[in-house]
Amino acid sequence: MKLSPFYVTFICFLFLNCKSQKKEDIEVTNETVTEIPEEIPKKPISDITIDPIIHATAILEWKEKTIYIDPTGGAKAFKGKKTPNLVLITDIHGDHMNIDTLDSLDLSNAELIVPQAVAEKLPAQYTDQLIILNNGETKEIQGISIEAIPMYNLREEALKFHNKGRGNGYVITLGKKRLYFSGDTEDIPEMRNLKYIDIAFISMNLPYTMTVESAADAVLEFKPKQVYPYHYRGTEGLSDVKKFKELIAKDSTIEVVQLDWYPKI
Protein backbone atom coordinates (compact mmCIF):
# COMPACT_ATOMS: atom_id res chain seq x y z
CA MET A 1 0.00 0.00 0.00
CA LYS A 2 1.38 3.37 -0.96
CA LEU A 3 1.49 5.89 1.91
CA SER A 4 0.56 9.46 1.32
CA PRO A 5 3.25 12.14 1.83
CA PHE A 6 1.38 13.28 4.99
CA TYR A 7 1.78 9.91 6.74
CA VAL A 8 5.43 9.62 5.68
CA THR A 9 6.15 13.03 7.18
CA PHE A 10 4.25 12.17 10.40
CA ILE A 11 6.14 8.87 10.92
CA CYS A 12 9.51 10.59 10.39
CA PHE A 13 8.57 13.23 12.96
CA LEU A 14 7.69 10.59 15.54
CA PHE A 15 10.97 8.71 14.93
CA LEU A 16 13.15 11.80 15.29
CA ASN A 17 11.29 12.92 18.43
CA CYS A 18 11.77 9.52 20.11
CA LYS A 19 15.47 9.48 19.20
CA SER A 20 15.92 12.97 20.67
CA GLN A 21 14.12 11.97 23.87
CA LYS A 22 16.29 8.87 24.22
CA LYS A 23 19.45 11.01 23.89
CA GLU A 24 18.21 13.34 26.61
CA ASP A 25 17.50 10.38 28.88
CA ILE A 26 21.04 9.09 28.36
CA GLU A 27 22.50 12.52 29.15
CA VAL A 28 20.41 12.78 32.33
CA THR A 29 21.47 9.27 33.33
CA ASN A 30 25.14 10.13 32.75
CA GLU A 31 24.79 13.27 34.83
CA THR A 32 23.39 11.18 37.71
CA VAL A 33 26.25 8.66 37.56
CA THR A 34 29.00 11.27 37.48
CA GLU A 35 27.53 13.41 40.26
CA ILE A 36 30.20 14.04 42.96
CA PRO A 37 29.09 12.60 46.32
CA GLU A 38 29.34 14.62 49.50
CA GLU A 39 32.72 14.27 51.22
CA ILE A 40 32.57 12.03 54.28
CA PRO A 41 34.58 13.45 57.21
CA LYS A 42 37.55 11.27 58.13
CA LYS A 43 37.71 9.81 61.61
CA PRO A 44 40.84 10.63 63.66
CA ILE A 45 43.47 7.88 63.55
CA SER A 46 43.85 7.89 67.32
CA ASP A 47 42.30 9.55 70.35
CA ILE A 48 45.68 9.61 72.11
CA THR A 49 47.82 12.76 72.16
CA ILE A 50 51.57 12.35 72.69
CA ASP A 51 53.51 15.40 73.83
CA PRO A 52 57.32 14.98 74.04
CA ILE A 53 58.82 17.16 76.76
CA ILE A 54 62.49 16.12 76.88
CA HIS A 55 64.56 12.91 76.81
CA ALA A 56 62.41 10.40 78.77
CA THR A 57 59.67 12.84 79.76
CA ALA A 58 56.33 12.78 77.97
CA ILE A 59 52.68 13.67 78.46
CA LEU A 60 49.85 11.45 77.24
CA GLU A 61 46.29 12.69 76.90
CA TRP A 62 43.40 10.28 76.40
CA LYS A 63 39.78 11.18 76.86
CA GLU A 64 39.65 13.08 80.16
CA LYS A 65 42.95 11.64 81.44
CA THR A 66 46.37 13.27 81.45
CA ILE A 67 49.38 11.09 82.21
CA TYR A 68 52.89 12.34 82.96
CA ILE A 69 55.77 9.94 82.23
CA ASP A 70 58.99 10.59 84.21
CA PRO A 71 58.37 14.32 84.73
CA THR A 72 61.59 16.34 84.66
CA GLY A 73 62.59 19.81 83.52
CA GLY A 74 60.98 21.88 86.27
CA ALA A 75 57.73 23.86 86.20
CA LYS A 76 58.81 25.68 83.03
CA ALA A 77 58.70 22.46 81.00
CA PHE A 78 55.04 21.98 81.92
CA LYS A 79 53.84 25.55 81.56
CA GLY A 80 50.41 25.59 79.93
CA LYS A 81 50.01 21.82 80.21
CA LYS A 82 47.04 20.10 81.82
CA THR A 83 47.52 18.90 85.39
CA PRO A 84 48.00 15.14 85.60
CA ASN A 85 45.65 12.43 86.79
CA LEU A 86 48.48 9.88 86.79
CA VAL A 87 52.26 10.16 87.09
CA LEU A 88 54.40 7.17 86.14
CA ILE A 89 58.04 7.05 87.23
CA THR A 90 60.34 4.35 85.90
CA ASP A 91 63.55 4.61 87.96
CA ILE A 92 65.51 6.46 90.65
CA HIS A 93 67.89 8.35 88.35
CA GLY A 94 67.48 12.10 87.99
CA ASP A 95 66.34 12.00 84.36
CA HIS A 96 63.36 9.91 85.49
CA MET A 97 62.67 10.76 89.13
CA ASN A 98 63.19 14.47 89.67
CA ILE A 99 61.90 15.58 93.06
CA ASP A 100 62.39 19.28 92.34
CA THR A 101 60.14 18.97 89.30
CA LEU A 102 57.53 16.98 91.22
CA ASP A 103 57.50 19.63 93.95
CA SER A 104 56.99 22.38 91.35
CA LEU A 105 53.90 20.78 89.79
CA ASP A 106 50.27 20.66 90.85
CA LEU A 107 49.93 16.97 91.71
CA SER A 108 47.06 17.44 94.16
CA ASN A 109 44.71 15.24 92.11
CA ALA A 110 47.32 12.78 90.83
CA GLU A 111 48.20 9.23 91.74
CA LEU A 112 51.87 8.29 91.41
CA ILE A 113 52.67 4.83 90.02
CA VAL A 114 56.22 3.84 90.99
CA PRO A 115 58.42 0.83 91.74
CA GLN A 116 59.41 0.20 95.35
CA ALA A 117 62.88 1.68 94.85
CA VAL A 118 61.38 5.00 93.77
CA ALA A 119 58.82 4.97 96.60
CA GLU A 120 61.65 4.70 99.12
CA LYS A 121 63.32 7.86 97.81
CA LEU A 122 60.29 10.13 97.47
CA PRO A 123 59.48 12.61 100.27
CA ALA A 124 56.82 11.63 102.80
CA GLN A 125 54.41 14.21 101.38
CA TYR A 126 53.74 11.85 98.46
CA THR A 127 53.14 8.70 100.50
CA ASP A 128 49.33 8.83 100.37
CA GLN A 129 49.39 9.27 96.59
CA LEU A 130 51.68 6.33 95.83
CA ILE A 131 50.67 3.12 94.10
CA ILE A 132 53.59 0.71 94.15
CA LEU A 133 53.90 -1.49 91.10
CA ASN A 134 56.83 -3.86 90.75
CA ASN A 135 58.11 -5.97 87.87
CA GLY A 136 55.47 -8.34 86.51
CA GLU A 137 52.53 -6.72 88.32
CA THR A 138 49.46 -5.26 86.60
CA LYS A 139 46.88 -2.92 88.13
CA GLU A 140 43.88 -1.05 86.80
CA ILE A 141 44.09 2.53 87.99
CA GLN A 142 41.42 5.10 87.12
CA GLY A 143 40.12 2.74 84.46
CA ILE A 144 43.56 2.33 82.85
CA SER A 145 45.49 -0.94 82.89
CA ILE A 146 49.16 -0.45 83.77
CA GLU A 147 51.66 -3.33 83.62
CA ALA A 148 55.19 -3.11 85.03
CA ILE A 149 57.79 -4.57 82.67
CA PRO A 150 61.36 -5.24 83.87
CA MET A 151 64.10 -2.86 82.71
CA TYR A 152 67.77 -3.64 83.26
CA ASN A 153 71.23 -3.95 81.70
CA LEU A 154 72.75 -7.07 80.19
CA ARG A 155 76.30 -6.02 79.28
CA GLU A 156 78.82 -6.72 82.02
CA GLU A 157 80.22 -3.18 81.91
CA ALA A 158 76.72 -1.69 82.26
CA LEU A 159 75.30 -3.79 85.10
CA LYS A 160 76.15 -1.03 87.57
CA PHE A 161 73.64 1.31 85.92
CA HIS A 162 70.37 -0.66 86.14
CA ASN A 163 70.05 -3.91 88.02
CA LYS A 164 67.09 -6.21 87.41
CA GLY A 165 64.08 -5.63 89.65
CA ARG A 166 64.71 -1.99 90.56
CA GLY A 167 62.99 -0.03 87.80
CA ASN A 168 59.94 -0.45 85.60
CA GLY A 169 59.13 -0.15 81.97
CA TYR A 170 55.37 0.19 81.52
CA VAL A 171 52.66 -1.10 79.21
CA ILE A 172 49.73 1.32 79.40
CA THR A 173 46.40 0.35 77.84
CA LEU A 174 44.35 3.32 76.66
CA GLY A 175 41.11 2.06 75.16
CA LYS A 176 42.19 -0.45 72.52
CA LYS A 177 45.76 0.86 72.27
CA ARG A 178 48.72 -0.65 74.13
CA LEU A 179 51.66 1.71 74.67
CA TYR A 180 55.06 0.53 75.89
CA PHE A 181 57.65 2.77 77.55
CA SER A 182 60.93 0.88 77.80
CA GLY A 183 62.61 2.99 80.45
CA ASP A 184 66.36 2.42 80.88
CA THR A 185 66.87 -1.05 79.49
CA GLU A 186 68.80 -3.16 77.06
CA ASP A 187 67.11 -5.55 74.65
CA ILE A 188 66.01 -7.91 77.39
CA PRO A 189 63.89 -11.05 76.82
CA GLU A 190 60.91 -9.45 78.58
CA MET A 191 60.85 -6.73 75.93
CA ARG A 192 61.39 -9.09 73.02
CA ASN A 193 58.48 -11.22 74.25
CA LEU A 194 55.95 -8.39 74.31
CA LYS A 195 52.75 -8.96 72.31
CA TYR A 196 50.20 -6.71 70.64
CA ILE A 197 52.00 -3.41 71.21
CA ASP A 198 50.58 -0.53 69.19
CA ILE A 199 53.12 2.14 70.16
CA ALA A 200 56.58 1.52 71.63
CA PHE A 201 58.91 4.17 73.08
CA ILE A 202 62.41 2.71 72.88
CA SER A 203 65.56 4.04 74.57
CA MET A 204 68.96 3.83 72.86
CA ASN A 205 71.89 5.62 74.46
CA LEU A 206 75.30 4.47 75.52
CA PRO A 207 76.67 3.60 77.95
CA TYR A 208 73.41 3.49 79.90
CA THR A 209 70.98 1.48 77.76
CA MET A 210 71.53 -0.11 74.35
CA THR A 211 72.96 0.56 70.94
CA VAL A 212 70.85 1.60 67.98
CA GLU A 213 71.47 -1.85 66.47
CA SER A 214 70.29 -3.69 69.60
CA ALA A 215 67.21 -1.50 69.89
CA ALA A 216 66.28 -2.10 66.26
CA ASP A 217 66.84 -5.85 66.54
CA ALA A 218 64.53 -6.08 69.55
CA VAL A 219 61.84 -3.99 67.85
CA LEU A 220 61.97 -6.18 64.75
CA GLU A 221 61.28 -9.15 67.02
CA PHE A 222 58.29 -7.91 69.03
CA LYS A 223 56.87 -5.88 66.11
CA PRO A 224 54.97 -2.90 67.48
CA LYS A 225 52.81 -1.08 64.95
CA GLN A 226 54.66 2.17 65.64
CA VAL A 227 57.96 2.86 67.35
CA TYR A 228 59.06 6.20 68.79
CA PRO A 229 62.80 6.58 69.44
CA TYR A 230 63.21 8.43 72.74
CA HIS A 231 65.81 8.68 75.51
CA TYR A 232 68.65 8.74 72.95
CA ARG A 233 71.08 11.25 74.50
CA GLY A 234 74.27 9.62 75.77
CA THR A 235 77.74 10.67 76.86
CA GLU A 236 78.80 11.12 73.22
CA GLY A 237 75.76 13.16 72.20
CA LEU A 238 72.62 11.96 70.44
CA SER A 239 72.34 8.45 69.05
CA ASP A 240 71.90 7.91 65.31
CA VAL A 241 68.11 7.64 65.08
CA LYS A 242 68.32 7.92 61.29
CA LYS A 243 70.24 4.65 61.24
CA PHE A 244 67.65 3.15 63.59
CA LYS A 245 64.92 4.06 61.12
CA GLU A 246 66.87 2.48 58.25
CA LEU A 247 67.25 -0.76 60.21
CA ILE A 248 63.55 -0.88 61.07
CA ALA A 249 62.70 -0.37 57.39
CA LYS A 250 63.41 -4.10 56.90
CA ASP A 251 59.86 -4.61 58.20
CA SER A 252 57.43 -2.39 56.31
CA THR A 253 54.66 -3.07 58.84
CA ILE A 254 56.47 -1.03 61.53
CA GLU A 255 56.28 2.74 61.33
CA VAL A 256 59.03 4.85 62.92
CA VAL A 257 57.74 8.15 64.31
CA GLN A 258 60.31 10.81 65.14
CA LEU A 259 59.36 13.51 67.65
CA ASP A 260 61.47 16.40 68.92
CA TRP A 261 62.74 15.22 72.31
CA TYR A 262 65.64 17.70 72.41
CA PRO A 263 64.25 21.08 71.30
CA LYS A 264 67.25 23.08 72.61
CA ILE A 265 69.88 21.04 70.78
Side-chain angles (χ1 to χ4, degrees), residues 217-233:
D217 193 54
V219 167
L220 289 170
E221 183 162 338
F222 75 89
K223 298 181 184 301
K225 293 178 182 177
Q226 291 183 320
V227 58
Y228 288 65
Y230 89 136
H231 197 290
Y232 52 85
R233 179 183 59 205

Side-chain angles (χ1 to χ4, degrees), residues 250-261:
K250 295 175 184 177
D251 188 335
S252 61
T253 67
I254 304 173
E255 179 187 8
V256 178
V257 182
Q258 182 64 57
L259 299 181
D260 186 5
W261 295 93

Side-chain angles (χ1 to χ4, degrees), residues 87-205:
V87 175
L88 277 64
I89 300 176
T90 60
D91 196 26
I92 61 174
H93 290 160
D95 55 341
H96 301 276
M97 182 193 73
N98 188 287
I99 295 173
D100 287 341
T101 298
L102 293 175
D103 289 345
S104 72
L105 300 174
D106 179 5
L107 303 182
S108 55
N109 295 316
E111 293 181 287
L112 280 62
I113 294 83
V114 303
Q116 182 64 42
V118 170
E120 292 172 358
K121 291 186 176 295
L122 289 176
Q125 70 194 67
Y126 295 109
T127 299
D128 293 341
Q129 296 170 265
L130 296 182
I131 297 176
I132 296 174
L133 200 63
N134 290 313
N135 289 181
E137 296 180 338
T138 302
K139 290 183 180 180
E140 184 170 309
I141 305 165
Q142 299 184 25
I144 296 171
S145 174
I146 302 175
E147 179 182 357
I149 308 297
M151 47 148 278
Y152 56 94
N153 287 109
L154 296 170
R155 294 168 294 124
E156 185 67 31
E157 67 273 19
L159 294 178
K160 60 186 177 182
F161 297 125
H162 309 99
N163 55 294
K164 187 175 183 179
R166 187 184 76 199
N168 289 333
Y170 291 105
V171 172
I172 308 165
T173 301
L174 302 176
K176 295 182 179 180
K177 299 287 187 182
R178 284 166 49 83
L179 289 73
Y180 169 58
F181 283 84
S182 72
D184 284 357
T185 193
E186 290 190 58
D187 56 338
I188 57 175
E190 293 89 343
M191 177 169 65
R192 288 177 172 268
N193 291 333
L194 290 170
K195 305 292 184 185
Y196 313 116
I197 299 297
D198 295 286
I199 300 173
F201 294 81
I202 302 297
S203 63
M204 55 191 83
N205 62 330

